[in-house]
Amino acid sequence: ILPFFIFGGLYQNEASTPYYFYPIKYLSWFRYGFGSLIINEFEDLQLGCDNSSTTRCVFTNGNEVLDYYNIDTGDIWFPNLVAVLIMGTGYLTISVFILWLRVRQTDKGAEEKKTA
């Protein structure tokens, strides 16, 4: 899970990911969830920067934040939402299949004990 988390977009900027880590990047469910979250929160957001304060404003609006993370605002539905739905359905299907195999295996063991 840790490689998926690292290459999900929060810690490792998508533009700076080496090409040999692309499979991990594209299989990371964190990437798609983070992408949807950051687009939802920062798209067209105006950040209030008080010029009189001593702190320096790095970003003046949300679109600059999205540019910094190299995220396209058009990705909120495809691939982000579609990938999360497909991965969720796939993992659920695999889990149910594995559970079915284990129950079937347990039932066979119980039947063999009854006949013996």
Side-chain angles (χ1 to χ4, degrees):
I1 289 180
L2 187 61
F4 292 137
F5 193 67
I6 290 172
F7 295 104
L10 180 62
Y11 296 114
Q12 175 78 28
N13 193 330
E14 287 194 22
S16 63
T17 302
Y19 71 91
Y20 44 86
F21 286 123
Y22 276 11
I24 296 172
K25 177 175 109 171
Y26 288 116
L27 289 175
S28 172
W29 56 88
F30 294 113
R31 173 183 185 254
Y32 302 108
F34 175 71
S36 294
L37 174 74
I38 198 167
I39 291 169
N40 183 50
E41 292 298 318
F42 286 106
E43 184 178 21
D44 299 328
L45 177 70
Q46 292 301 319
L47 301 173
C49 288
D50 186 14
N51 291 334
S52 64
S53 72
T54 58
T55 59
R56 186 177 139 236
C57 284
V58 178
F59 304 111
T60 58
N61 61 41
N63 292 328
E64 290 178 1
V65 175
L66 294 174
D67 289 339
Y68 174 77
Y69 280 106
N70 224 12
I71 293 178
D72 183 18
T73 57
D75 288 350
I76 194 162
W77 296 108
F78 182 80
N80 290 344
L81 182 64
V82 173
V84 168
L85 290 175
I86 289 172
M87 285 180 178
T89 304
Y91 293 140
L92 179 66
T93 304
I94 291 169
S95 301
V96 168
F97 180 70
I98 291 172
L99 182 62
W100 176 76
L101 286 176
R102 290 190 56 123
V103 167
R104 189 173 148 218
Q105 210 173 35
T106 305
D107 287 344
K108 281 185 179 179
E111 288 176 12
E112 288 175 5
K113 286 182 182 179
K114 285 182 184 178
T115 57

